[in-house]
Amino acid sequence: MQGSVNQIDQSILNVNDSHGKQVTIHKPLKRIISFSPAFTEILFAIDADSTLVGRDDFSDFPPSALSIPVVGDAFSVNLETIVELEPNLVYLSFDSYKHDIENLNIPVLFIEPSKSVDEVLQNIELAGDIFDKQENAQQLIAGIEEELVLLDNRLEQISGSPSIYFELDPGLWTVGPSTFIGDILARLKVTNIVQENDGEFPQFSNEMIIERNPDIIILAHSSSSHLSQLSAEVSTRPGWDNISAVTNNRIYKMDSDLINRPGPRIKQGISEMAKLIYPNTYE
């Protein structure tokens, strides 16, 4: 569920968070803390980053974000530092510290991570409304929508639907259809070997992957391992030598942040994945 907006006047904005709670935002906002790498990227992309005074440890892009003080991550938070930074709003994509921060009399906007490309566009629009950067937000949205139209046009000629295994880490954690990445895979007209009843982020076994025999394997590990090392490691997993993706050398590595992070760079991530899956179409 994404935030919905009710504009009372030019200086007051009511936004419903992902729990359905109404959060009143008094504009202009001058001091923001973001506990969301995707939202942090959106702020930079719409030129609202001057408001950012604190971030979570995972908000590491663009590089200029690294100069902003870290106030916590998904596992811990420094409440003292948050108070010292005197934020007008704290944006959370998980609700672990929601009540702790609210108890400091600091407004908190909790928006769950986007589960679809459409929700990413809604989040960009929301940021534009919050920071009065509507024109910049619409330009960003238009650029992403243009890429999606180009993708759809290219895929019109595609027949068949290759099966795909999308690996988050070497522990064989993967993604289901009802996730953000699942939505992207559907847009790319591939068949996810993970089924709806497997869950959103299931851990597969060797046997399950061998049985479902993916045509393509995409490795989106957060580690910086080189593709050659990862491909060799995957190829030597017990029984994987008979998997179609292995025998046909269709193992690819992607920058995990481009595709796992539901922010402005999905335009690049979707394009890069499409080129890996359909190389002939992009020749």
Side-chain angles (χ1 to χ4, degrees), residues 13-275:
L13 192 71
N14 284 332
V15 181
N16 289 331
D17 72 7
S18 290
H19 288 322
K21 176 185 176 182
Q22 183 173 280
V23 179
T24 299
I25 296 174
H26 296 272
K27 302 194 296 181
L29 290 175
K30 295 184 178 180
R31 301 181 66 79
I32 303 298
I33 292 176
S34 171
F35 277 87
S36 165
F39 193 72
T40 298
E41 290 193 25
I42 290 172
L43 294 186
F44 278 90
I46 66 171
D47 193 29
D49 54 284
S50 61
T51 64
L52 201 57
V53 296
R55 63 179 174 97
D56 67 301
D57 190 38
F58 300 106
S59 290
D60 55 4
F61 189 90
S64 49
L66 298 175
S67 63
I68 297 165
V70 173
V71 295
D73 54 32
F75 312 104
S76 63
V77 63
N78 190 326
L79 294 174
E80 287 185 11
T81 302
I82 289 177
V83 172
E84 291 169 0
L85 290 172
E86 300 181 335
N88 307 119
L89 183 72
V90 174
Y91 183 102
L92 293 175
S93 58
F94 47 88
D95 59 1
S96 308
Y97 320 125
K98 185 175 184 291
H99 298 301
D100 292 333
I101 298 172
E102 286 175 334
N103 288 338
L104 300 172
N105 292 319
I106 296 171
V108 174
L109 180 58
F110 163 61
I111 304 292
E112 292 176 330
S114 302
K115 288 191 173 183
S116 68
V117 174
D118 289 340
E119 287 188 0
V120 174
L121 302 184
Q122 292 170 22
N123 240 9
I124 293 171
E125 185 173 20
L126 173 64
D129 290 335
I130 291 173
F131 297 98
D132 288 327
K133 296 286 186 179
Q134 289 90 345
E135 185 175 344
N136 292 355
Q138 290 305 318
Q139 288 178 353
L140 182 58
I141 291 169
I144 295 171
E145 289 179 332
E146 182 181 1
E147 184 64 38
L148 294 175
V149 169
L150 290 174
L151 173 70
D152 290 343
N153 291 340
R154 283 182 179 271
L155 297 190
E156 277 183 1
Q157 59 184 289
I158 299 296
S159 59
S161 179
S163 60
I164 192 165
Y165 165 59
F166 189 97
E167 184 172 287
L168 295 174
D169 68 30
L172 308 185
W173 291 94
T174 182
V175 293
S178 60
T179 63
F180 174 64
I181 298 169
D183 180 63
I184 291 176
L185 296 179
R187 286 176 176 270
L188 291 170
K189 295 187 176 181
V190 294
T191 300
N192 191 350
I193 69 165
V194 183
Q195 298 164 4
E196 196 71 55
N197 59 7
D198 291 320
E200 290 192 345
F201 296 98
Q203 184 180 27
F204 269 24
S205 65
N206 260 324
E207 292 72 25
M208 291 170 71
I209 298 168
I210 293 168
E211 180 184 347
R212 299 190 187 185
N213 192 24
D215 298 311
I216 298 168
I217 295 173
I218 291 187
L219 308 170
H221 298 186
S222 56
S223 67
S224 58
S225 301
H226 294 295
L227 175 60
S228 57
Q229 295 172 319
L230 282 173
S231 297
E233 186 270 326
V234 168
S235 300
T236 58
R237 290 174 181 172
W240 282 45
D241 51 329
N242 290 320
I243 292 178
S244 175
V246 176
T247 57
N248 293 315
N249 197 28
R250 298 214 66 188
I251 304 171
Y252 308 113
K253 184 179 187 300
M254 281 201 66
D255 180 341
S256 60
D257 288 345
L258 290 183
I259 207 70
N260 296 352
R261 188 175 290 183
R265 289 188 290 166
I266 59 166
K267 175 180 176 181
Q268 181 183 350
I270 291 173
S271 175
E272 288 193 14
M273 189 182 288
K275 291 174 183 176

